[in-house]
Amino acid sequence: MDFNEKLQKLRKDKGITQEELAEILFVSRTAVSKWETGRGYPNLESLKAIANFFNVSIDDLLSGDEVITIAEQDSKQKESDFIRRIFALLDCGMIAFLFLPLFGQSKDEIVQSLSLFSLTNIQPYLRAAYYIIVIAIILWGILALAIKTDRKTEQVSIVLSMAGAMLFILSRQPYAAAMLLIFLAIKAFLLIKTR
């Protein structure tokens, strides 16, 4: 008997619905339905909770192949969560653009390196664009750290970083562009390594 059949039998023997089991395990009813139809497996924490609730061992719930499948899924999920945190931290690291001298400004035919806060001798629309892209990336990083994110979060992070890099390249800010391209390269490396 496979895990999905065992779970369904245990639940019915206990006389509870999928919704009630979901509430007990702190998961969605859809997750329980998915497990019972064989379209997925719970993570290790949920599996422990299931075993405790039904007073059975994990070995009673799973076959050898299912244990390997769940362990692989859990490992991939942890790796994916780690990558998303790195992305978020890199995005939060954009705060350095506000304080580090990454922007160039011409004054009396001399180019000065300034932070974004100190940058004054440029067109107001360009300065506003710099602030918008830097703050948008920082806020996106904070949001990604604060909530559980998915793959779309990575995509938005990359798009924002690419937009920022293009803005800095087109407006001739090589240091800011180089720093953002380094962040992008790290993200690309992480994505390639984990896919």
Side-chain angles (χ1 to χ4, degrees), residues 47-76:
L47 191 59
K48 289 176 190 174
I50 292 168
N52 286 336
F53 178 72
F54 291 113
N55 201 25
V56 296
S57 72
I58 292 176
D59 290 338
D60 292 337
L61 289 173
L62 302 171
S63 69
D65 291 340
E66 290 172 328
V67 170
I68 292 169
T69 301
I70 290 175
E72 287 173 350
Q73 285 177 350
D74 198 53
S75 175
K76 284 181 183 178

Side-chain angles (χ1 to χ4, degrees), residues 32-43:
V32 173
S33 172
K34 197 166 132 178
W35 301 338
E36 286 190 0
T37 56
R39 292 181 289 129
Y41 291 99
N43 63 24

Side-chain angles (χ1 to χ4, degrees), residues 79-171:
E79 185 176 279
S80 184
D81 290 345
F82 176 74
I83 298 296
R84 289 186 186 108
R85 283 191 193 101
I86 296 294
F87 270 52
L89 289 172
L90 286 171
D91 289 344
C92 290
M94 288 288 293
I95 201 160
F97 282 59
L98 299 173
F99 303 104
L100 294 179
L102 297 172
F103 295 88
Q105 174 175 286
S106 245
K107 186 176 182 182
D108 301 326
E109 296 185 26
I110 297 173
V111 177
Q112 299 174 315
S113 289
L114 302 169
S115 68
L116 187 53
F117 280 140
S118 305
L119 195 61
T120 56
N121 195 17
I122 62 169
Q123 297 293 329
Y125 71 88
L126 200 53
R127 188 167 190 247
Y130 292 165
Y131 272 105
I132 289 169
I133 196 69
V134 169
I135 291 172
I137 294 172
I138 293 168
L139 291 177
W140 189 256
I142 292 169
L143 180 69
L145 282 175
I147 61 171
K148 186 164 175 74
T149 59
D150 59 7
R151 187 165 284 186
K152 290 180 183 177
T153 309
E154 294 172 357
Q155 294 168 349
V156 172
S157 173
I158 289 172
V159 168
L160 284 172
S161 295
M162 288 172 60
M166 289 304 297
L167 173 65
F168 297 142
I169 289 168
L170 293 174
S171 62

